[in-house]
Every structure is written in structure tokens, then in C-alpha cells.
Amino acid sequence: MRMLRQLSLTPLWLIEVFSWAKSFQANPVIGSKLLNTLGLHVARVIVAHGLFVFRQRLLWRLADSKDRRAFASQGYLLKHDFLPQSQFLALKREAETYQGALRDEVEGDTLAQRVYLTRQALLGLPQCTALTEHRGLLRLLRYCSSKNRIPFFFLENLQQGHLKRGSRDSQKDLHCDTFHPCIKAWLYLDPAELHNGPFEFIPGSHRLTWGRVRWEYRQSLEASLRGKLRDPARYWDGSFRVGDADLAEMGLTQPIAMSVPANTLLIANVRGFHRRGEATGQSPRLSVWMQSRDNPFNPLFTPFPKLTARVFEWVWIRHLAREFPRKEAEGLWKGRTGQFVRHPNVP
Ligand SMILES: [Fe+2]
């Protein structure tokens, strides 16, 4: 029976090799010890990086040369005072007083409250709508994604240490998100400081150096381990964690904390090593969070970013709806109607 199931799923697993799929656990082809010994994972990494650079070169008109150079060399962009002050304050007020459907997500002892800003959710949120249509922002994100993609937008309110009996927040471990370059971005509505845990990033760690290729190869072999050889404490989803000795071997520094004032835009290539910085207090951190991930093996980018954004939204809404019952049963997600938690430990 198990064999029949494996046979029927093999075509899907093979197709997924040419997609953004990254789990060594869920896909036995991606997680094959033999294929990774022969270099499957490393080949995926190299091809995905090459195509990312290729597409970005074609999209050069979307960003000025200073931003292109900074993003290529550091792996992130920071833009202080991104919105005019009056627009920023109106956006912050709208987000702070948001009342409606939201999702509480448990990430260790961190409470992450998120509102997915779909076209439906944006009705009655004029400031959020204006941000999702901000020409300069969209052009930068379309360039940085390398896919001409308009990202998903979320309101996100993070509060570390909120859940007293929570386990360790895995986002605080230094990691890369996946095997291919892709972006996440935040427009901070609260200042991001040590008391609420700023984003931390190692500048230049997104680059595919020879040291990184060797490290990826070793990681892929370890991630291909099966059965009892598999360390239960380790991540097997393809978001590799990195330790100090590995960083030293790759010639990388320790991460820097992106402590920034409110109204700062941060765009990061989360192929670089990063983590959620440890908060010294329990203040919330409210932001507009953006992300786009796409098939890294498609050498083309969409010529119709708005239409593509609608299609991705349609797909993503259904994906979240499918995921919800399982996540809810595991106690990780909870849907409710209300406001964001804006005071320490007041649910
Ligand atoms: Fe991450």
C-alpha cells in the first residue's frame, strides 16, 4: 500500500524539484541522500541564483542604480522616512485601530497577529489601500523580487514573550528561508528596537560564494538523513539553520540588528542569514509586512504584475483556508475578530 502511494506521488515529487518546494522531509526526491550526494540540492541552489540575477538585470529600470548596487552587495535595502509624515501617521492610526478579522499565530513564545490585506480586506482601509498602490514601493519590490511581482501585504503585530508557556521561537535561530533568493519587506509602524526585537541580518550573506556552496552541500546531506539518524530538534523543511563555526568558515560576520525608527522600509533577501532579534521587553512591533515567493526556475518574470497579483491572491486565500484546520488543531493558528494586542500581556 505504501509502495503504491509512493509510486503515485513520484511524478508530483519530480515536478516539485523544478519548483520552490524545499522540504527534505515532505519530498523524498528533494530529500534523497543519493541525489544530494550527486549534487541535486547544490544544482538547484546554483541555477536558482543564476536565474535570479538574470531576471533582475532585465528589470533594471524599476530601481535606481544606487538601490540596485546596495541590494546586490548587502542583500537588503533600508529607506528611512519612507512615507510623508502625514500619510504615515494616518496609516499607523488606521492599523492601530483596525477592528476586524485577524489571525493569531503562535511562534514559540511569540504572538504574531496577522491580517492578510486581500482586496476584500482592504475595503474600508484607505491608507492601507494607498500603500498597496504606492508606485515607488511597488517598483522597488517588483525589482527586488526579480519576478516583477507585487507581493502579498499583511498587517503584522508581533509581541515576543507574550505566551508564557510557549516554546522557543524558532524565528530567533539564525537561518535562511529557502534555497533560492526571495524577498520579505516591512514598513515599520512602530520603531523596531531592542525592546521589541528588531530584525537581524548578516550583510552579504545572500551571496553564493564557494564557501556557501560547500556549506549547502553538507547541509543537504544532513537534511537527507532518515529514520533514527534524523535529529528531532533539527529543521527538515529546507530552512537551514546556521551556527557560529559555519559562519566563521564562510567568512561571514555576526548579524546586525536593524534598529530603525518608525516609517522605515526594509526589503531583505531572505536567502541571506537572518533572524528575529531577541526582545529585551514585551512591547509590540506593528508593521506592514510584505512577501513574495515564486518559482525560482522560471527564467521569465510576469509581464502583467497586477493580474498576476490577483491570481496569486486567489491561490493564496485557498491555500490558507486549506492550512487553517490543521494549524488550528495544532494550536498554532486561531481566527478571531478584534483588534491587535497593543499592551504587554493584555490579550
Ligand atoms: Fe526567516
Short mmCIF file of all heavy atoms in Angstrom, two decimals, residues 133-172:
data_model
loop_
_atom_site.label_atom_id
_atom_site.label_comp_id
_atom_site.label_asym_id
_atom_site.label_seq_id
_atom_site.Cartn_x
_atom_site.Cartn_y
_atom_site.Cartn_z
N GLU A 133 -0.82 50.45 -3.32
CA GLU A 133 -0.77 51.00 -4.68
C GLU A 133 0.37 52.01 -4.85
O GLU A 133 0.46 52.68 -5.88
CB GLU A 133 -2.11 51.68 -5.01
CG GLU A 133 -3.27 50.69 -5.06
CD GLU A 133 -4.63 51.36 -5.12
OE1 GLU A 133 -4.68 52.61 -5.00
OE2 GLU A 133 -5.63 50.65 -5.28
N HIS A 134 1.23 52.13 -3.85
CA HIS A 134 2.32 53.12 -3.84
C HIS A 134 3.31 52.79 -4.97
O HIS A 134 3.97 51.75 -4.93
CB HIS A 134 3.01 53.08 -2.48
CG HIS A 134 4.02 54.16 -2.28
ND1 HIS A 134 5.22 54.22 -2.95
CD2 HIS A 134 4.01 55.22 -1.44
CE1 HIS A 134 5.91 55.26 -2.55
NE2 HIS A 134 5.20 55.90 -1.63
N ARG A 135 3.39 53.68 -5.93
CA ARG A 135 4.15 53.37 -7.14
C ARG A 135 5.62 53.08 -6.85
O ARG A 135 6.18 52.09 -7.33
CB ARG A 135 4.01 54.54 -8.14
CG ARG A 135 4.59 54.23 -9.50
CD ARG A 135 4.21 55.30 -10.51
NE ARG A 135 4.74 54.94 -11.82
CZ ARG A 135 5.93 55.31 -12.27
NH1 ARG A 135 6.72 56.04 -11.52
NH2 ARG A 135 6.35 54.92 -13.47
N GLY A 136 6.24 53.95 -6.05
CA GLY A 136 7.67 53.78 -5.76
C GLY A 136 7.94 52.47 -5.01
O GLY A 136 8.91 51.76 -5.31
N LEU A 137 7.06 52.16 -4.07
CA LEU A 137 7.22 50.91 -3.30
C LEU A 137 7.08 49.70 -4.22
O LEU A 137 7.90 48.77 -4.18
CB LEU A 137 6.15 50.86 -2.19
CG LEU A 137 6.07 49.56 -1.40
CD1 LEU A 137 7.36 49.31 -0.62
CD2 LEU A 137 4.87 49.57 -0.45
N LEU A 138 6.04 49.73 -5.06
CA LEU A 138 5.81 48.57 -5.92
C LEU A 138 6.95 48.38 -6.92
O LEU A 138 7.36 47.25 -7.19
CB LEU A 138 4.47 48.71 -6.67
CG LEU A 138 3.22 48.69 -5.78
CD1 LEU A 138 1.97 48.59 -6.64
CD2 LEU A 138 3.24 47.56 -4.77
N ARG A 139 7.46 49.47 -7.44
CA ARG A 139 8.58 49.33 -8.39
C ARG A 139 9.80 48.69 -7.72
O ARG A 139 10.43 47.78 -8.26
CB ARG A 139 8.95 50.70 -8.97
CG ARG A 139 7.98 51.18 -10.04
CD ARG A 139 8.31 52.59 -10.48
NE ARG A 139 9.58 52.67 -11.22
CZ ARG A 139 9.69 52.49 -12.52
NH1 ARG A 139 8.63 52.18 -13.25
NH2 ARG A 139 10.87 52.59 -13.13
N LEU A 140 10.10 49.13 -6.49
CA LEU A 140 11.25 48.56 -5.77
C LEU A 140 11.03 47.06 -5.48
O LEU A 140 11.93 46.24 -5.68
CB LEU A 140 11.41 49.27 -4.42
CG LEU A 140 12.50 50.33 -4.30
CD1 LEU A 140 12.57 50.80 -2.87
CD2 LEU A 140 13.85 49.81 -4.77
N LEU A 141 9.82 46.74 -5.03
CA LEU A 141 9.54 45.34 -4.69
C LEU A 141 9.53 44.46 -5.93
O LEU A 141 9.99 43.31 -5.89
CB LEU A 141 8.20 45.24 -3.95
CG LEU A 141 8.17 45.87 -2.56
CD1 LEU A 141 6.74 45.99 -2.06
CD2 LEU A 141 9.00 45.06 -1.58
N ARG A 142 9.02 45.02 -7.02
CA ARG A 142 8.99 44.24 -8.27
C ARG A 142 10.41 43.96 -8.73
O ARG A 142 10.73 42.86 -9.19
CB ARG A 142 8.21 45.01 -9.34
CG ARG A 142 6.69 44.95 -9.14
CD ARG A 142 5.98 46.04 -9.93
NE ARG A 142 6.32 46.02 -11.34
CZ ARG A 142 6.13 47.06 -12.18
NH1 ARG A 142 5.63 48.19 -11.73
NH2 ARG A 142 6.46 46.94 -13.44
N TYR A 143 11.30 44.94 -8.59
CA TYR A 143 12.70 44.72 -8.96
C TYR A 143 13.35 43.69 -8.01
O TYR A 143 13.97 42.71 -8.47
CB TYR A 143 13.48 46.04 -8.90
CG TYR A 143 14.96 45.81 -9.07
CD1 TYR A 143 15.50 45.55 -10.32
CD2 TYR A 143 15.81 45.80 -7.96
CE1 TYR A 143 16.84 45.28 -10.47
CE2 TYR A 143 17.16 45.53 -8.11
CZ TYR A 143 17.67 45.27 -9.36
OH TYR A 143 18.99 44.98 -9.51
N CYS A 144 13.23 43.95 -6.72
CA CYS A 144 13.95 43.09 -5.75
C CYS A 144 13.47 41.64 -5.84
O CYS A 144 14.25 40.72 -5.60
CB CYS A 144 13.77 43.63 -4.33
SG CYS A 144 14.64 45.18 -4.06
N SER A 145 12.21 41.42 -6.18
CA SER A 145 11.70 40.05 -6.27
C SER A 145 12.31 39.31 -7.46
O SER A 145 12.30 38.08 -7.50
CB SER A 145 10.18 40.04 -6.42
OG SER A 145 9.81 40.45 -7.73
N SER A 146 12.78 40.08 -8.43
CA SER A 146 13.32 39.57 -9.71
C SER A 146 12.21 39.00 -10.60
O SER A 146 12.48 38.53 -11.69
CB SER A 146 14.41 38.52 -9.52
OG SER A 146 13.89 37.20 -9.48
N LYS A 147 10.98 39.01 -10.12
CA LYS A 147 9.88 38.39 -10.87
C LYS A 147 8.82 39.40 -11.28
O LYS A 147 7.75 39.02 -11.73
CB LYS A 147 9.21 37.29 -10.01
CG LYS A 147 10.13 36.15 -9.59
CD LYS A 147 10.43 35.20 -10.72
CE LYS A 147 9.30 34.26 -10.97
NZ LYS A 147 9.68 33.14 -11.85
N ASN A 148 9.12 40.70 -11.05
CA ASN A 148 8.13 41.73 -11.35
C ASN A 148 6.85 41.52 -10.53
O ASN A 148 5.76 41.88 -10.97
CB ASN A 148 7.79 41.72 -12.86
CG ASN A 148 7.37 43.09 -13.36
OD1 ASN A 148 7.57 44.10 -12.68
ND2 ASN A 148 6.77 43.13 -14.53
N ARG A 149 7.02 40.93 -9.37
CA ARG A 149 5.88 40.54 -8.55
C ARG A 149 5.45 41.62 -7.57
O ARG A 149 6.29 42.22 -6.89
CB ARG A 149 6.25 39.29 -7.73
CG ARG A 149 6.00 37.95 -8.38
CD ARG A 149 4.53 37.58 -8.44
NE ARG A 149 3.88 37.68 -7.14
CZ ARG A 149 4.01 36.78 -6.17
NH1 ARG A 149 4.75 35.71 -6.33
NH2 ARG A 149 3.38 36.93 -5.03
N ILE A 150 4.17 41.85 -7.51
CA ILE A 150 3.60 42.65 -6.41
C ILE A 150 3.37 41.67 -5.27
O ILE A 150 2.77 40.62 -5.47
CB ILE A 150 2.27 43.31 -6.86
CG1 ILE A 150 2.55 44.30 -7.99
CG2 ILE A 150 1.60 43.99 -5.68
CD1 ILE A 150 1.31 44.90 -8.64
N PRO A 151 3.87 41.98 -4.07
CA PRO A 151 3.85 40.97 -3.00
C PRO A 151 2.47 40.85 -2.34
O PRO A 151 1.56 41.63 -2.62
CB PRO A 151 4.86 41.52 -1.99
CG PRO A 151 4.75 43.00 -2.14
CD PRO A 151 4.47 43.25 -3.61
N PHE A 152 2.37 39.90 -1.43
CA PHE A 152 1.24 39.85 -0.50
C PHE A 152 1.50 40.91 0.57
O PHE A 152 2.65 41.07 1.01
CB PHE A 152 1.16 38.49 0.20
CG PHE A 152 0.92 37.33 -0.73
CD1 PHE A 152 1.67 36.17 -0.60
CD2 PHE A 152 -0.06 37.37 -1.69
CE1 PHE A 152 1.45 35.08 -1.43
CE2 PHE A 152 -0.29 36.29 -2.54
CZ PHE A 152 0.47 35.15 -2.41
N PHE A 153 0.46 41.59 0.98
CA PHE A 153 0.59 42.59 2.06
C PHE A 153 -0.17 42.08 3.29
O PHE A 153 -1.28 41.55 3.17
CB PHE A 153 -0.03 43.93 1.64
CG PHE A 153 0.77 44.68 0.62
CD1 PHE A 153 0.67 44.36 -0.74
CD2 PHE A 153 1.61 45.72 1.00
CE1 PHE A 153 1.40 45.06 -1.68
CE2 PHE A 153 2.35 46.42 0.05
CZ PHE A 153 2.24 46.10 -1.29
N PHE A 154 0.43 42.26 4.44
CA PHE A 154 -0.20 41.90 5.70
C PHE A 154 0.00 43.05 6.70
O PHE A 154 1.05 43.71 6.68
CB PHE A 154 0.46 40.67 6.34
CG PHE A 154 0.37 39.41 5.55
CD1 PHE A 154 1.27 39.15 4.52
CD2 PHE A 154 -0.60 38.46 5.83
CE1 PHE A 154 1.20 37.97 3.79
CE2 PHE A 154 -0.68 37.28 5.09
CZ PHE A 154 0.23 37.04 4.07
N LEU A 155 -0.98 43.23 7.58
CA LEU A 155 -0.69 43.97 8.80
C LEU A 155 -0.17 42.93 9.77
O LEU A 155 -0.76 41.85 9.90
CB LEU A 155 -1.96 44.63 9.37
CG LEU A 155 -2.50 45.84 8.61
CD1 LEU A 155 -3.81 46.30 9.23
CD2 LEU A 155 -1.48 46.98 8.60
N GLU A 156 0.92 43.25 10.45
CA GLU A 156 1.52 42.25 11.35
C GLU A 156 1.86 42.92 12.68
O GLU A 156 2.55 43.93 12.72
CB GLU A 156 2.79 41.69 10.72
CG GLU A 156 3.48 40.67 11.62
CD GLU A 156 4.82 40.21 11.05
OE1 GLU A 156 5.79 41.00 11.09
OE2 GLU A 156 4.90 39.07 10.57
N ASN A 157 1.36 42.33 13.75
CA ASN A 157 1.66 42.82 15.10
C ASN A 157 2.37 41.70 15.85
O ASN A 157 1.76 40.67 16.14
CB ASN A 157 0.36 43.21 15.80
CG ASN A 157 0.60 43.92 17.12
OD1 ASN A 157 1.27 44.95 17.16
ND2 ASN A 157 0.09 43.37 18.21
N LEU A 158 3.64 41.90 16.14
CA LEU A 158 4.43 40.86 16.82
C LEU A 158 4.63 41.23 18.27
O LEU A 158 4.94 42.38 18.59
CB LEU A 158 5.83 40.76 16.19
CG LEU A 158 5.99 40.13 14.82
CD1 LEU A 158 7.47 40.11 14.47
CD2 LEU A 158 5.42 38.73 14.79
N GLN A 159 4.49 40.24 19.12
CA GLN A 159 4.80 40.50 20.52
C GLN A 159 5.56 39.31 21.10
O GLN A 159 5.00 38.23 21.28
CB GLN A 159 3.54 40.76 21.32
CG GLN A 159 3.89 41.28 22.69
CD GLN A 159 2.75 42.01 23.36
OE1 GLN A 159 1.68 42.13 22.80
NE2 GLN A 159 2.99 42.47 24.56
N GLN A 160 6.83 39.53 21.35
CA GLN A 160 7.65 38.44 21.91
C GLN A 160 7.35 38.25 23.39
O GLN A 160 7.01 39.19 24.10
CB GLN A 160 9.13 38.78 21.74
CG GLN A 160 9.58 38.77 20.30
CD GLN A 160 11.09 38.79 20.20
OE1 GLN A 160 11.81 38.36 21.08
NE2 GLN A 160 11.58 39.31 19.08
N GLY A 161 7.51 37.01 23.83
CA GLY A 161 7.34 36.70 25.25
C GLY A 161 5.90 36.79 25.71
O GLY A 161 5.59 36.75 26.89
N HIS A 162 4.99 36.89 24.76
CA HIS A 162 3.58 37.06 25.13
C HIS A 162 3.00 35.76 25.69
O HIS A 162 2.15 35.77 26.57
CB HIS A 162 2.77 37.50 23.91
CG HIS A 162 1.33 37.75 24.21
ND1 HIS A 162 0.89 38.92 24.79
CD2 HIS A 162 0.23 36.98 24.05
CE1 HIS A 162 -0.41 38.85 24.97
NE2 HIS A 162 -0.84 37.69 24.51
N LEU A 163 3.45 34.65 25.13
CA LEU A 163 2.89 33.36 25.52
C LEU A 163 3.81 32.72 26.56
O LEU A 163 4.89 32.24 26.23
CB LEU A 163 2.72 32.48 24.28
CG LEU A 163 1.87 33.16 23.19
CD1 LEU A 163 2.09 32.53 21.84
CD2 LEU A 163 0.41 33.12 23.57
N LYS A 164 3.37 32.75 27.78
CA LYS A 164 4.24 32.38 28.90
C LYS A 164 4.72 30.94 28.82
O LYS A 164 5.85 30.62 29.20
CB LYS A 164 3.49 32.58 30.23
CG LYS A 164 3.33 34.03 30.57
CD LYS A 164 4.69 34.67 30.85
CE LYS A 164 4.57 36.18 30.98
NZ LYS A 164 5.75 36.89 30.54
N ARG A 165 3.87 30.04 28.34
CA ARG A 165 4.28 28.63 28.31
C ARG A 165 4.74 28.21 26.92
O ARG A 165 4.89 27.04 26.63
CB ARG A 165 3.13 27.74 28.79
CG ARG A 165 3.00 27.73 30.32
CD ARG A 165 2.00 26.68 30.77
NE ARG A 165 0.64 27.04 30.39
CZ ARG A 165 -0.13 27.89 31.07
NH1 ARG A 165 0.33 28.46 32.16
NH2 ARG A 165 -1.35 28.16 30.67
N GLY A 166 4.97 29.19 26.07
CA GLY A 166 5.39 28.88 24.71
C GLY A 166 6.82 28.33 24.69
O GLY A 166 7.62 28.59 25.58
N SER A 167 7.12 27.57 23.64
CA SER A 167 8.48 27.05 23.48
C SER A 167 9.34 28.16 22.87
O SER A 167 8.89 29.28 22.68
CB SER A 167 8.44 25.83 22.57
OG SER A 167 7.78 26.18 21.37
N ARG A 168 10.56 27.82 22.53
CA ARG A 168 11.44 28.82 21.92
C ARG A 168 10.91 29.20 20.53
O ARG A 168 10.46 28.34 19.77
CB ARG A 168 12.85 28.25 21.83
CG ARG A 168 13.81 29.22 21.19
CD ARG A 168 15.24 28.81 21.24
NE ARG A 168 16.02 29.65 20.33
CZ ARG A 168 16.33 30.91 20.56
NH1 ARG A 168 15.97 31.47 21.70
NH2 ARG A 168 17.02 31.63 19.68
N ASP A 169 10.97 30.48 20.24
CA ASP A 169 10.54 30.98 18.94
C ASP A 169 11.61 30.63 17.90
O ASP A 169 12.73 31.16 17.94
CB ASP A 169 10.37 32.51 19.07
CG ASP A 169 9.96 33.17 17.75
OD1 ASP A 169 9.94 32.48 16.72
OD2 ASP A 169 9.66 34.38 17.79
N SER A 170 11.27 29.74 16.97
CA SER A 170 12.27 29.24 16.01
C SER A 170 12.75 30.33 15.06
O SER A 170 13.79 30.19 14.43
CB SER A 170 11.68 28.08 15.22
OG SER A 170 10.61 28.55 14.43
N GLN A 171 11.98 31.43 14.96
CA GLN A 171 12.41 32.54 14.10
C GLN A 171 13.63 33.26 14.68
O GLN A 171 14.25 34.08 14.01
CB GLN A 171 11.26 33.53 13.90
CG GLN A 171 10.05 32.98 13.19
CD GLN A 171 10.37 32.56 11.76
OE1 GLN A 171 11.16 33.18 11.08
NE2 GLN A 171 9.79 31.45 11.34
N LYS A 172 13.94 32.95 15.93
CA LYS A 172 15.09 33.62 16.56
C LYS A 172 16.39 32.87 16.29
O LYS A 172 17.46 33.30 16.73
CB LYS A 172 14.86 33.74 18.07
CG LYS A 172 13.73 34.70 18.42
CD LYS A 172 13.57 34.76 19.93
CE LYS A 172 12.34 35.55 20.31
NZ LYS A 172 12.03 35.41 21.74
#
